[in-house]
């Protein structure tokens, strides 16, 4: 990117940091913003008013309750948002078939292999119990490490919480206390894809 004279500004998105920035790798001086940051938080999903507008535009307003029940539930900063990928795909399905049922579209967009490996490695005590509590709809308080890289992710079973957060399985509730967040599964149906 540095040698591209036609590029003035770039945005890279992904689920985790690729590596620790360095002056020697050719990609440095990055500004990393995640869903835990207050800046741009409303752009990580659709707000309720945007979903209502989308449904109205496509004359699908009668499906609002289904869309809200299935795809709402993320909290970024101070705003609750819907999963945009699911909301758009469900609208597309409804336009072709007015009887289409909601489903999880995002769970089929990538492999869940990393999450499965962590769950298999989870000890029979604390980590497993906490996962079971989340699946049951409860909340837990855990620290996450946004600076975690792919290279370091398997160093500790405790990294499961950062992985689940950065890949969209978790959403925060309330305000964080330093690195400690109160976590919940945003949409309980997403748990089925694990």
């Amino acid at each position: 990117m540095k040698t591209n004279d036609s590029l003035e500004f770039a945005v890279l998105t992904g689920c985790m940091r690729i590596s620790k920035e360095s002056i020697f790798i050719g990609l440095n001086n990055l500004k990393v913003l995640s869903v835990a940051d207050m800046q741009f938080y409303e752009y990580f999903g659709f707000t309720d008013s945007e979903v209502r507008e989308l449904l109205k535009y496509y004359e699908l307003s009668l499906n609002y309750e289904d869309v809200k029940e299935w795809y709402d539930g993320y909290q970024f900063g101070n705003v609750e948002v819907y999963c945009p990928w699911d909301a758009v795909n469900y609208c597309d399905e409804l336009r072709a078939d007015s009887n289409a049922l909601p489903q999880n579209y995002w769970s089929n967009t990538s492999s869940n292999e990393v999450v499965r490996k962590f769950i298999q490695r989870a000890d029979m005590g604390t980590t497993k119990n906490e996962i079971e509590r989340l699946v049951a709809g409860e909340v837990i308080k855990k620290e996450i490490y946004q600076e975690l890289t792919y290279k370091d992710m398997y160093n500790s079973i405790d990294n499961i919480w950062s992985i689940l957060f950065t890949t969209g399985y978790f959403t925060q509730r309330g305000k964080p206390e330093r690195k400690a967040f109160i976590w919940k599964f945003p949409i309980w149906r997403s748990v089925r894809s694990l």
Side-chain angles (χ1 to χ4, degrees), residues 115-152:
V115 175
R116 279 192 199 99
K117 283 183 181 180
F118 269 105
I119 290 173
Q120 289 169 352
R121 287 179 50 195
D123 56 43
M124 297 310 258
T126 306
T127 305
K128 186 171 190 226
N129 289 338
E130 288 169 329
I131 291 170
E132 289 172 354
R133 286 176 47 210
L134 285 165
V135 170
E138 295 180 34
V139 298
I140 64 168
K141 186 175 184 176
K142 284 296 194 186
E143 286 190 7
I144 59 137
Y145 301 95
Q146 296 184 75
E147 63 278 0
L148 185 67
T149 65
Y150 285 102
K151 177 184 169 196
D152 302 324

Side-chain angles (χ1 to χ4, degrees), residues 54-64 67 90-92 94-95 98:
L54 174 73
L55 294 171
K56 182 179 177 183
Y57 180 84
Y58 288 110
E59 299 178 353
L60 299 170
S61 295
L62 293 175
N63 299 92
Y64 170 76
V67 173
Y90 184 48
C91 285
D92 190 46
L94 285 171
R95 291 180 64 220
S98 62

Side-chain angles (χ1 to χ4, degrees), residues 35-53:
V35 294
D37 295 312
M38 293 300 286
Q39 199 173 4
F40 304 114
Y41 54 80
E42 71 272 22
Y43 299 110
F44 285 103
F46 291 158
T47 63
D48 190 69
S49 61
E50 289 170 330
V51 166
R52 288 178 186 269
E53 189 177 320

Side-chain angles (χ1 to χ4, degrees), residues 55-124:
L55 294 171
K56 182 179 177 183
Y57 180 84
Y58 288 110
E59 299 178 353
L60 299 170
S61 295
L62 293 175
N63 299 92
Y64 170 76
E65 291 301 324
D66 283 339
V67 173
K68 182 167 182 61
E69 180 182 348
W70 274 76
Y71 309 126
D72 185 19
Y74 285 95
Q75 178 186 335
F76 302 136
N78 296 323
V79 175
E80 284 203 24
V81 296
Y82 292 68
C83 176
W85 180 252
D86 282 334
V88 166
N89 277 287
Y90 184 48
C91 285
D92 190 46
E93 293 274 336
L94 285 171
R95 291 180 64 220
D97 176 7
S98 62
N99 296 315
L101 297 174
Q103 58 182 299
N104 289 324
Y105 298 96
W106 73 268
S107 65
N108 295 322
T109 60
S110 66
S111 170
N112 294 326
E113 189 61 30
V114 170
V115 175
R116 279 192 199 99
K117 283 183 181 180
F118 269 105
I119 290 173
Q120 289 169 352
R121 287 179 50 195
D123 56 43
M124 297 310 258

Side-chain angles (χ1 to χ4, degrees), residues 156-188:
S156 168
I157 190 66
D158 289 332
N159 288 341
I160 187 173
W161 310 115
S162 299
I163 302 293
L164 288 171
F165 168 65
T166 57
T167 55
Y169 283 96
F170 278 162
T171 190
Q172 70 186 59
R173 289 294 180 247
K175 294 191 179 231
E177 297 173 17
R178 295 187 180 201
K179 289 186 177 187
F181 290 75
I182 297 174
W183 298 114
K184 179 181 174 85
F185 280 119
I187 306 162
W188 69 268

